[in-house]
Amino acid sequence: MRHSPRSQQSRAALLCSLLAAACGSDGANDEDFGETSTLLMGELGELGELKPTVSSLVIENSGEVLIYMSSAPITCAQLMVSRWLGDVEVGAQVVEVVVPSELAVDTVAVEPGGAEVNYAAGGKSSAYEVGATGGHVTFTKGLPGSVEGSFSATYADAAVSVKGRFQAEFCAGGQGY
């Protein structure tokens, strides 16, 4: 069946409205993602292209808000154990966002005294983490309870970057990785 050009345009417009990403918007640059789940995009060097995030938790420790987003399941009970990263599934991708507690209410630059965006592989020590050299973190909802927002980070290796949105539930008593 042959469709008229007008019919094809209408179908394309409908498809674009349903699948904005297919029409040039990657979603990570939008302030309002229209959803409240965690979605990350990018490339993490030797760890490869970002895998889907299955766990997002936030802790507050020593004057900092720390958000952990992982491609393997992590639980609050795991985060309560010091050096928990070594117990995460080998090869999992763990992205860590760290912001001083008093700044975790707005947009914070990735810089000394500001935000950090790090990543590391599960099953290893945090000594293997890689830290961002630039970017920003924006909070649209802060503690207590959960945090929501977006971030973008670049690294010394220009081929490495991560951006996306987060929603993380609070884990009382959690430890940094």
Side-chain angles (χ1 to χ4, degrees):
M1 180 173 171
R2 192 168 176 94
H3 296 282
S4 72
R6 173 170 247 171
S7 172
Q8 288 174 340
Q9 288 173 342
S10 296
R11 288 175 15 158
L14 176 61
L15 182 60
C16 284
S17 67
L18 295 173
L19 302 170
C23 298
S25 172
D26 64 8
N29 295 323
D30 300 336
E31 287 299 315
D32 179 12
F33 294 99
E35 295 182 31
T36 56
S37 60
T38 298
L39 175 65
L40 305 181
M41 296 167 273
E43 182 79 25
L44 298 181
E46 293 179 6
L47 298 180
E49 185 176 341
L50 271 155
K51 301 172 187 172
T53 303
V54 300
S55 295
S56 298
L57 295 168
V58 60
I59 65 172
E60 191 166 24
N61 194 334
S62 300
E64 297 178 320
V65 171
L66 299 95
I67 304 164
Y68 292 102
M69 297 159 280
S70 175
S71 65
I74 53 174
T75 65
C76 186
Q78 278 180 287
L79 267 60
M80 291 181 185
V81 177
S82 182
R83 296 187 173 104
W84 57 265
L85 182 63
D87 291 331
V88 174
E89 179 182 307
V90 172
Q93 299 168 332
V94 180
V95 175
E96 174 192 57
V97 173
V98 182
V99 177
S101 296
E102 70 275 6
L103 300 178
V105 293
D106 202 1
T107 298
V108 184
V110 172
E111 62 187 8
E116 296 176 32
V117 180
N118 309 308
Y119 69 87
K124 290 190 173 184
S125 160
S126 62
Y128 290 94
E129 82 175 3
V130 177
T133 56
H136 68 276
V137 179
T138 300
F139 288 85
T140 56
K141 179 182 184 301
L143 291 174
S146 64
V147 295
E148 295 177 13
S150 60
F151 70 98
S152 176
T154 56
Y155 296 80
D157 178 345
V160 178
S161 68
V162 61
K163 61 182 175 180
R165 65 174 183 247
F166 57 85
Q167 176 187 20
E169 294 302 316
F170 185 67
C171 170
Q175 304 288 313
Y177 69 25

